[in-house]
Amino acid sequence: MVRGLPQPVGMPELPDRVTIHEVGPRDGLQNEPVAVPTDVKAELIGRLVAAGLTSVEVASFVHPAWVPQLADAEQLMGLLPASVVEQATVLVPNRRGLERALACGVRHVAVFASATESFAARNLNRSIDQSLAMFTPVVEEARAAGATVRGYLSMCFGDPWEGPVEPSAVVAVGRRLVDMGCGQLSLGDTIGVATPGQVVELLDAFAAAGVGVEHLAVHFHDTYGQALANTFAALQHGVTTVDASAGGLGGCPYAQSATGNLATEDLLWQLHGLGIATGVDLDALVATSCWLADHLGRSSPSRVVAAWRPAPVL
Ligand code: MG
């Protein structure tokens, strides 16, 4: 039997190359119920880098009590080769987290903001203004130390407490993160409710506010099966950085669904099918997700992994 591969056929007005920001080891494992041993995380990251992923978010320097799944950030960084640490991204919630990350040799950090007051209150225990005030010195100090800063903006399309979110509200917070010094803004559909028209509307609103697509990444969740349609809309509008999680790691914390983050394998299928270069080896990635699924004790929600995974021997 011939294993399926996407047949590359390009389309006009799409980027030649897309950077995948791989969030599996951080965003994915943070939302998995099972804590993964540190040495398994280190092997996962090594495999992802070996598969060709150049932008991998590997850890979070939050207080260990907040996210027990990621409490081993320092130990994990100590297991990674210096070259991997230097190209990796880590989440830092505050100045203490930044100090810990920089002490490990990290060169790329991310902060996590909310477009809605409800999620800021629940996730950050602060108002939007208070959270931005907390991030300002973090971003300044990171940049002073020579690190790049990515700003996550969550609930960009819908919020489980507030319902639909106005693009103007998202742009207002996003603009402040860019002005603060975030070189890249990752627009998150945290509950996976967006559809392509909303994506285009939001990208247009950012452009009108002077934030071009070169500053924007997209972070879609596949809760309602829309992540790839939304990605395609973003690509047509010039976005060239797309967040994804190997094997679709990380369920959706706000819905009874095993499907949260867009699976990197499913994204690769579309990108490679469109003739868009990624530098990532799909075979190696599927093998990695199958290997990790055994550690997690559950199968991957990725459609590509499911299609390629050998059938169990009955
Ligand atoms: Mg996510």
Side-chain angles (χ1 to χ4, degrees), residues 93-95 111-114 116-117 119-138 173 176-177 180:
N94 49 35
R95 294 171 85 168
V111 296
F112 195 92
S114 171
T116 67
E117 291 290 355
F119 190 61
R122 283 171 172 81
N123 195 52
L124 301 166
N125 204 24
R126 283 170 173 78
S127 68
I128 290 174
D129 278 347
Q130 287 170 335
S131 65
L132 294 178
M134 176 175 69
F135 295 140
T136 301
V138 177
V173 183
R176 290 169 71 183
L177 286 167
M180 197 185 285

Side-chain angles (χ1 to χ4, degrees), residues 147-236:
T148 70
V149 185
R150 155 179 258 246
Y152 279 102
L153 195 48
S154 54
M155 303 297 177
C156 287
F157 300 95
D159 175 292
W161 301 280
E162 299 184 18
V165 180
E166 282 299 317
S168 58
V170 181
V171 170
V173 183
R175 173 86 247 181
R176 290 169 71 183
L177 286 167
V178 171
D179 290 346
M180 197 185 285
C182 292
Q184 185 174 69
L185 203 55
S186 173
L187 306 176
D189 181 16
T190 315
I191 54 174
V193 293
T195 47
Q198 278 185 286
V199 174
V200 172
E201 180 182 48
L202 185 60
L203 295 174
D204 284 345
F206 269 106
V211 181
V213 286
E214 69 275 16
H215 292 292
L216 300 175
V218 288
H219 184 114
F220 294 123
H221 284 194
D222 207 32
T223 321
Y224 297 96
Q226 303 301 303
L228 280 176
N230 292 336
T231 300
F232 186 68
L235 296 175
Q236 285 188 307

Side-chain angles (χ1 to χ4, degrees), residues 28 53 77 80 96 102 129 189 192 198 225 239 256 274 291 295:
L53 288 156
M77 302 310 279
L80 301 178
R96 174 78 189 116
L102 292 175
D129 278 347
D189 181 16
Q198 278 185 286
V239 169
Q256 295 298 323
L274 289 165
W291 163 80
H295 283 280

